Amino acid sequence: MYDHLTLLSGRAHPKLAGEIAEYLGIRLASVELSNFPDGEISLKLNQNVRGRDVFIVQPTSPPVNDNLMELLILMDACRRASAERITAVIPYFGYARQDRKDSGRVPITSKLVANLINEAGADRVLAMDLHAAQIQGFFDTPVDHLYAAPILDRYFRSLNIPDKDLVVVSPDEGSIKRTLQHNNNIGGTLAIVDKRRKNALETQQANIIGGPIEGKIALLFDDMISTAGSIVGAVNVVKEHGAKEIYVGASHAVFCGPAIKSLSEAPIKEIVVTNSLPIPDQDKLSNLRTISIAPLLGEAIRRIHRNESVSHLFD
């Protein structure tokens, strides 16, 4: 079934790549990856990829620049080894927040990164939950954009929370569309945290729109948890308004800066994330649950390889 499919992994998240290979029933291709004493990346493909349909699994997660450069070098090696088609599988796309000029004399780094990936040899890109959907248009090659929402929603539905006790909360006005989709799939009522920016580094959450919250079980969703400032601020407001229990769901657990400390001190019963990027042991909270996206990515890879519909996954 997969005579011409080759699955490669960089060093960013080999565990996820291994789970995808297991789903597909194939072995990961052998790659030698190391660093020269000066930090430059050394790479050698240990098997023939000539005429193969190559998929390279490499989230550009922290350390972002190292993992991005490794992805580019992997693609260049496959192109020079005459791969027929190269698909960059990027479960988490770094630099996604720099997607526009929001002030003078700043770059649009996500477009620059898209250009680099195209120039390195990507014929397709497979990504999940880009921070801004318009990033798909930054690439000059086809982009298959997957969503973790169905996986997260399936888990929260399995908790069997009564509809009358459930409220789905948007942590800010910018997340309303995403929260509405979760609300339609899970049920319950809808509420929005009114977030105001105090300055370039701080936001302040104060009011609740919709609801009610008091005595309810609240679910808050975001696409990523980075420093956790916004989501923890929203959680605290929801708690102040009388929520009985609070759950948080997110696609990408970036967890940088004060995130772990803030999340550990917040009144959250459970934090549910995907394994789109690796979570170091020291960043694993007692109330953290990780759900694998390997079956989703594996099925998308299978469909791309066989020229079948990927959007059918969400029908």
Side-chain angles (χ1 to χ4, degrees):
M1 186 184 298
Y2 304 117
D3 286 347
H4 294 89
L5 188 153
T6 296
L7 186 67
L8 298 173
S9 175
R11 289 177 290 181
H13 203 348
K15 183 179 179 182
L16 175 59
E19 290 178 14
I20 295 170
E22 186 177 348
Y23 176 87
L24 292 169
I26 62 175
R27 290 185 177 181
L28 278 174
S30 175
V31 183
E32 289 181 25
L33 278 162
S34 59
N35 290 83
F36 291 109
D38 61 358
E40 292 180 4
I41 295 167
S42 170
L43 180 153
K44 182 181 179 182
L45 304 176
N46 285 331
Q47 67 185 67
N48 181 23
V49 296
R50 183 181 296 272
R52 307 280 293 185
D53 191 9
V54 177
F55 292 81
I56 302 172
V57 181
Q58 180 83 337
T60 53
S61 49
V64 183
N65 298 330
D66 291 348
N67 289 331
L68 173 60
M69 194 66 199
E70 192 167 278
L71 172 62
L72 301 178
I73 293 171
L74 278 163
M75 288 190 293
D76 184 72
C78 291
R79 182 181 63 174
R80 294 178 188 278
S82 301
E84 181 179 334
R85 182 173 67 173
I86 301 169
T87 300
V89 182
I90 312 174
Y92 170 75
F93 182 77
Y95 286 112
R97 282 169 290 191
Q98 300 181 45
D99 64 327
R100 65 196 182 281
K101 289 191 69 171
D102 53 3
S103 64
R105 298 177 296 282
V106 298
I108 304 178
T109 318
S110 0
K111 172 58 177 169
L112 170 63
V113 171
N115 287 345
L116 290 169
I117 291 170
N118 285 148
E119 287 299 317
D123 297 298
R124 299 187 71 90
V125 171
L126 176 60
M128 191 186 82
D129 281 319
L130 294 167
H131 187 64
Q134 66 265 23
I135 292 173
Q136 296 173 73
F138 292 176
F139 291 90
D140 297 326
T141 51
V143 176
D144 292 297
H145 190 204
L146 305 179
Y147 299 92
I151 299 172
L152 296 172
D153 292 346
R154 192 179 308 124
Y155 172 75
F156 284 113
R157 284 198 303 268
S158 74
L159 299 179
N160 296 316
I161 302 170
D163 206 53
K164 61 182 178 62
D165 296 333
L166 180 64
V167 57
V168 182
V169 184
S170 175
D172 53 51
E173 293 88 342
S175 301
I176 292 173
K177 184 176 179 181
R178 180 188 307 109
T179 305
L180 274 170
Q181 292 172 338
H182 287 292
N183 183 220
N184 291 334
N185 291 331
I186 300 173
T189 55
L190 178 71
I192 303 160
V193 175
D194 179 25
K195 182 175 79 173
R196 305 294 172 89
R197 183 161 291 280
K198 294 171 66 176
N199 54 50
L201 299 176
E202 296 180 272
T203 57
Q204 181 177 17
Q205 294 85 356
N207 304 308
I208 295 285
I209 302 168
I213 297 287
E214 189 170 357
K216 300 272 190 174
I217 297 172
L219 310 183
L220 283 79
F221 292 95
D222 213 341
D223 64 327
M224 72 172 72
I225 301 176
S226 184
T227 61
S230 293
I231 197 72
V232 168
V235 163
N236 289 333
V237 171
V238 169
K239 188 65 176 178
E240 288 167 7
H241 280 74
K244 182 170 62 175
E245 292 178 351
I246 301 172
Y247 292 81
V248 168
S251 301
H252 307 298
V254 183
F255 292 171
C256 58
I260 297 302
K261 183 175 185 296
S262 298
L263 290 168
S264 64
E265 294 172 352
I268 304 171
K269 181 167 184 179
E270 193 169 45
I271 303 164
V272 184
V273 298
T274 77
N275 61 340
S276 62
L277 63 169
I279 303 173
D281 289 338
Q282 67 268 21
D283 291 347
K284 289 183 179 176
L285 299 152
S286 60
N287 60 344
L288 181 69
R289 177 180 290 271
T290 305
I291 300 176
S292 179
I293 56 169
L296 175 64
L297 291 173
E299 184 60 23
I301 288 170
R302 187 189 72 80
R303 288 174 175 271
I304 292 169
H305 177 63
R306 299 177 68 177
N307 295 315
E308 296 175 358
S309 170
V310 174
S311 61
H312 182 72
L313 290 170
F314 306 104
D315 291 343

